[in-house]
Amino acid sequence: MSIESCFCLKVASLKQDLPLNNPKIQEKGENKVKKFFVILALVCLFGFQAFAQQAEYLQPQPLSQVVKVSVRPVSTTGATKVPTITWGGDIATVLAEMEGFFRDEGWNVTLFREDNFAKQVEMCLSGETPFLRGTMGMINAAADAFKAHGQELVVIYQMTWSVGGDAMVVRKGKKLSNIKTVALQLYGPHMDYAANLFANAKRLDKVQFKYLKELYEPDYDTRGKIVDPVSAFRADSSLDAVMCIIPDALALSSGGTVGDGSEGSVKGAKIELSTKTASRIISDVYAVRKDYFDANRSKVQGYVKALMRGEEALRDLLADKASNQAKYRQLISKSATLLLGAPTLTGDTEALLGDCEYVGHAGNIAFFTGKGTSRTLATLTKEIQASFRTLGLMTGTVPIASAGWDYNALGSGLKYAVAAAAPAPAPKKAFDTKKVARYVESKVAAEAATWEEEGTLFKVEIFFDPNQNEFPVSRYSNDYQEALSLVDTNRGALITIEGHTNPYNFQKREQEGASSQELAQIKQTGKNLSLQRAQAVRNTFLAFAKNKGVVLDETRFYATGRGIDAPKHPEMKTKQQWNENRRVVFLVKQIEAEAEEFVPLKK
């Protein structure tokens, strides 16, 4: 089909954009049609090539080199401005204001939305607000600017984890192991997401990140420039992947399958993974200027208490919407007005709630103290800053303080508060272990040669000696720690622990003319031994995690024996290759597409 024909066919699709729950696309539908006819008229005069849009890629640099503002004391007159961003977690903040929880705690607040994070940083440094609202990646980027201005930040509250609202979309044939170029928003919520994925894949220095100004297609006139990653991915075939919000990911992949090239999709594109799998990377938080915090500690604690009350009230409201329809509709309408710019976008606002997991009082204890998890303020800060220095987004290491709340005192009067010293609760069981066993064994049998790579996000290999059946922490602590970080970060993933034996004896006896019965016996013995080793590693690893204070859902871990069926080196030419065929492998598997097999167990 000619480019002219494709251009003309676009008229019909402009009024029925694919991502129905993407407010920014819905809201500007009519404007798009008007813009289309303006461009069509210009094209008739000057031709198509003159109007091909070009992506406006930005040079990454630390926020300390971008933010130019005079530091002033925080204003104490009038209402305190409280920033929000377009995210489901902020709906609880809206409810806290609506119910008067801030007022109860001595605060007079005015909520405003500011998705331009550099502007938020300027407002905080200039004293317009004491608060910053963003992901941990955004807060760490801001800390560099604060340090340059002689200021520090204190993280005071965790709101949510992203559990499905954000995704990486890739072109056909691309995956974490071979991606070379990625589009994403500069200073946005996906910087730490992308950095974590490629750092864990040990490829952070091998990927070129192409940064753009906006998170999604804006509704203002871009003067012919592409300023968002999704539009860039459509226009620039040199991009292997894009980090985006889930409505745009669904649009690019024709509803979450494989893009067919129509109605905003990209042919062959698919969702490589979302935060449904990588559910402990994007943490949304509030931070405050340290000078303000030091002077107003008890007042800031009241602010956090109001946020926690808002989270609990939202939890109760969502559990019993039928009896509280009036309040629920009021909340959604107010949230739509604040977060999306129009009170009518209620469906899109409700969709935001499904993208995040509120952590509440117990989750804040875990995040700030490490009870039951390795995904803490300290861990995320260390990871993010290491990656951001590599990417040129920070100039150096910057301390970010924790508020250090007394969570028992903070929990007083809360309905769902837990004792700070209480053991971490047992995790909910995610999977039916019998279904997992059937799934894995059938896949391994049908796809023996490709199973280890297909759908695998990360892997950790443990090598062992001949006749070794125990895998002590004293020898494998580094391997277990690496595996623990991966499985705790990707809490929506299935973890298979697979034993492999060396095929040398089988190959030798086969060459010597051994009978088929003897060869089958050698093969089965190897399979049995490899299963025993996989189970031994599984048990030792889970004990290692427990000893570290990390609580894991054991239904996510499946041990299987591969025997000699999938050697690392089928043709052994060196002693090292011979040794490397004896291994146990942790595979972090992406199973989002396997909904039928991996429906979470009912509570």
Side-chain angles (χ1 to χ4, degrees):
M1 184 182 293
S2 68
I3 188 170
E4 290 86 354
S5 299
C6 293
F7 192 81
C8 294
L9 287 175
K10 182 65 176 174
V11 176
S13 68
L14 283 170
K15 294 185 177 181
Q16 49 180 355
D17 294 292
L18 181 65
L20 298 178
N21 63 339
N22 186 329
K24 294 297 179 183
I25 294 180
Q26 271 193 318
E27 192 176 23
K28 63 177 183 288
E30 293 185 2
N31 290 334
K32 280 180 123 179
V33 175
K34 294 176 184 177
K35 185 189 291 186
F36 168 81
F37 285 110
V38 171
I39 294 174
L40 180 60
L42 293 172
V43 166
C44 291
L45 290 173
F46 300 105
F48 282 87
Q49 295 303 317
F51 291 91
Q53 286 186 308
Q54 297 294 317
E56 189 171 58
Y57 296 119
L58 305 176
Q59 183 66 32
Q61 54 184 329
L63 272 174
S64 58
Q65 299 174 17
V66 175
V67 173
K68 307 295 182 183
V69 67
S70 297
V71 178
R72 292 188 290 271
V74 174
S75 173
T76 57
T77 60
T80 301
K81 294 180 179 179
V82 172
T84 64
I85 62 176
T86 306
W87 178 241
D90 295 81
I91 294 175
T93 308
V94 175
L95 183 58
E97 190 275 334
M98 193 174 90
E99 293 288 271
F101 296 154
F102 290 112
R103 184 179 61 250
D104 294 346
E105 300 296 335
W107 285 85
N108 175 20
V109 304
T110 298
L111 304 183
F112 71 98
R113 186 191 76 214
E114 184 51 76
D115 291 319
N116 182 329
F117 190 63
K119 185 175 180 180
Q120 255 204 68
V121 173
E122 291 176 347
M123 291 179 69
C124 190
L125 283 170
S126 65
E128 291 185 60
T129 175
F131 298 110
L132 269 186
R133 168 70 186 90
T135 67
M136 278 300 298
M138 295 158 74
I139 298 300
N140 274 274
D144 194 79
F146 272 70
K147 181 180 180 181
H149 287 80
Q151 297 290 318
E152 295 180 34
L153 285 171
V154 180
V155 179
I156 58 173
Y157 178 70
Q158 185 192 15
M159 303 174 71
T160 59
W161 292 105
S162 175
V163 291
D166 304 276
M168 172 190 282
V169 175
V170 300
R171 293 191 191 277
K172 184 177 181 181
K174 296 299 179 180
K175 48 189 175 181
L176 283 173
S177 61
N178 63 12
I179 289 171
K180 293 181 179 179
T181 52
V182 182
L184 72 162
Q185 184 193 24
L186 184 61
Y187 312 128
H190 296 144
M191 296 188 302
D192 42 333
Y193 185 16
N196 180 283
L197 295 178
F198 288 104
N200 282 334
K202 300 178 176 60
R203 300 192 64 247
L204 187 62
D205 60 343
K206 296 178 175 61
V207 177
Q208 181 183 15
F209 294 98
K210 307 292 283 289
Y211 298 98
L212 294 105
K213 180 181 178 182
E214 303 291 351
L215 182 62
Y216 39 68
E217 187 179 358
D219 54 9
Y220 59 79
D221 183 5
T222 64
R223 299 182 180 276
K225 296 290 186 180
I226 292 174
V227 296
D228 69 281
V230 174
S231 298
F233 187 69
R234 292 189 179 109
D236 185 351
S237 61
S238 72
L239 293 171
D240 292 338
V242 60
M243 311 300 299
C244 56
I245 58 175
I246 200 65
D248 286 332
L250 294 172
L252 291 171
S253 60
S254 296
T257 55
V258 178
D260 59 14
S262 67
E263 297 183 335
S265 73
V266 171
K267 192 170 183 61
K270 70 181 183 71
I271 298 175
E272 173 70 357
L273 81 162
S274 79
T275 50
K276 186 175 181 181
T277 291
S279 62
R280 290 298 182 268
I281 296 180
I282 303 181
S283 170
D284 277 78
V285 300
Y286 265 107
V288 67
R289 270 176 54 164
K290 189 175 186 302
D291 59 343
Y292 184 88
F293 177 81
D294 290 341
N296 300 275
R297 181 183 174 87
S298 61
K299 185 176 181 180
V300 174
Q301 181 169 317
Y303 175 81
V304 171
K305 184 69 167 284
L307 290 173
M308 288 187 172
R309 291 177 65 189
E311 183 275 329
E312 290 196 345
L314 180 60
R315 191 186 313 191
D316 287 341
L317 183 59
L318 294 177
D320 193 17
K321 286 189 295 185
S323 300
N324 297 279
Q325 272 295 303
K327 180 186 289 187
Y328 177 74
R329 299 318 311 175
Q330 181 187 8
L331 170 65
I332 297 302
S333 178
K334 288 194 69 166
S335 298
T337 301
L338 175 67
L339 304 179
L340 304 179
T344 56
L345 296 175
T346 55
D348 301 298
T349 304
E350 290 177 296
L352 291 175
L353 287 168
D355 294 339
C356 61
E357 177 186 317
Y358 287 92
V359 306
H361 181 266
N364 272 267
I365 293 174
F367 184 69
F368 287 100
T369 71
K371 187 176 77 170
T373 183
S374 65
R375 306 304 294 163
T376 63
L377 171 70
T379 301
L380 268 64
T381 296
K382 183 178 180 181
E383 290 178 355
I384 291 166
Q385 293 198 13
S387 294
F388 280 16
R389 291 193 300 272
T390 298
L391 298 175
L393 295 169
M394 293 186 74
T395 57
T397 301
V398 183
I400 296 182
S402 163
W405 301 125
D406 177 345
Y407 283 101
N408 288 326
L410 194 56
S412 176
L414 293 178
K415 184 176 180 180
Y416 300 109
V418 298
K428 297 171 184 175
K429 294 184 178 180
F431 304 135
D432 183 319
T433 54
K434 291 182 179 179
K435 284 187 176 181
V436 169
R438 286 197 297 268
Y439 169 80
V440 172
E441 296 302 338
S442 64
K443 283 282 189 179
V444 167
E447 305 167 9
T450 59
W451 163 256
E452 187 166 324
E453 297 301 326
E454 291 299 319
T456 296
L457 300 173
F458 312 103
K459 64 181 176 181
V460 177
E461 295 179 309
I462 291 177
F463 301 101
F464 56 89
D465 299 326
N467 303 314
Q468 180 183 334
N469 295 308
E470 294 182 355
F471 301 85
V473 171
S474 59
R475 177 174 174 181
Y476 296 105
S477 60
N478 290 339
D479 298 312
Y480 288 147
Q481 185 58 53
E482 181 181 359
L484 179 59
S485 177
L486 291 172
V487 303
D488 203 22
T489 299
N490 298 279
R491 290 197 180 186
L494 171 69
I495 315 300
T496 63
I497 302 174
E498 307 185 352
H500 298 264
T501 55
N502 197 318
Y504 176 77
N505 187 44
F506 178 90
Q507 293 173 353
K508 180 174 179 293
R509 290 298 296 135
E510 186 177 40
Q511 290 178 354
E512 293 172 348
S515 67
S516 57
Q517 183 178 1
E518 181 185 347
L519 293 175
Q521 185 177 4
I522 293 172
K523 198 170 186 179
Q524 186 60 50
T525 299
K527 199 172 188 67
N528 295 342
L529 284 172
S530 65
L531 175 58
Q532 291 172 14
R533 288 166 178 151
Q535 290 172 332
V537 168
R538 178 184 185 275
N539 294 338
T540 305
F541 170 75
L542 291 173
F544 171 83
K546 185 177 181 180
N547 189 54
K548 288 280 187 178
V550 179
V551 182
L552 299 175
D553 170 18
E554 295 188 12
T555 67
R556 296 173 54 214
F557 298 84
Y558 180 74
T560 183
R562 300 292 306 277
I564 65 172
D565 290 343
K568 185 179 180 71
H569 305 289
E571 297 182 7
M572 294 168 286
K573 297 180 180 180
T574 67
K575 184 177 181 180
Q576 181 178 345
Q577 291 178 341
W578 186 78
N579 289 332
E580 288 180 350
N581 275 335
R582 295 189 308 272
R583 71 200 199 282
V584 175
V585 187
F586 286 80
L587 298 181
V588 181
K589 305 290 285 190
Q590 209 273 57
I591 46 89
E592 290 180 30
E594 309 291 345
E596 185 176 340
E597 297 291 345
F598 295 98
V599 176
L601 293 175
K602 294 183 178 179
K603 303 179 185 64

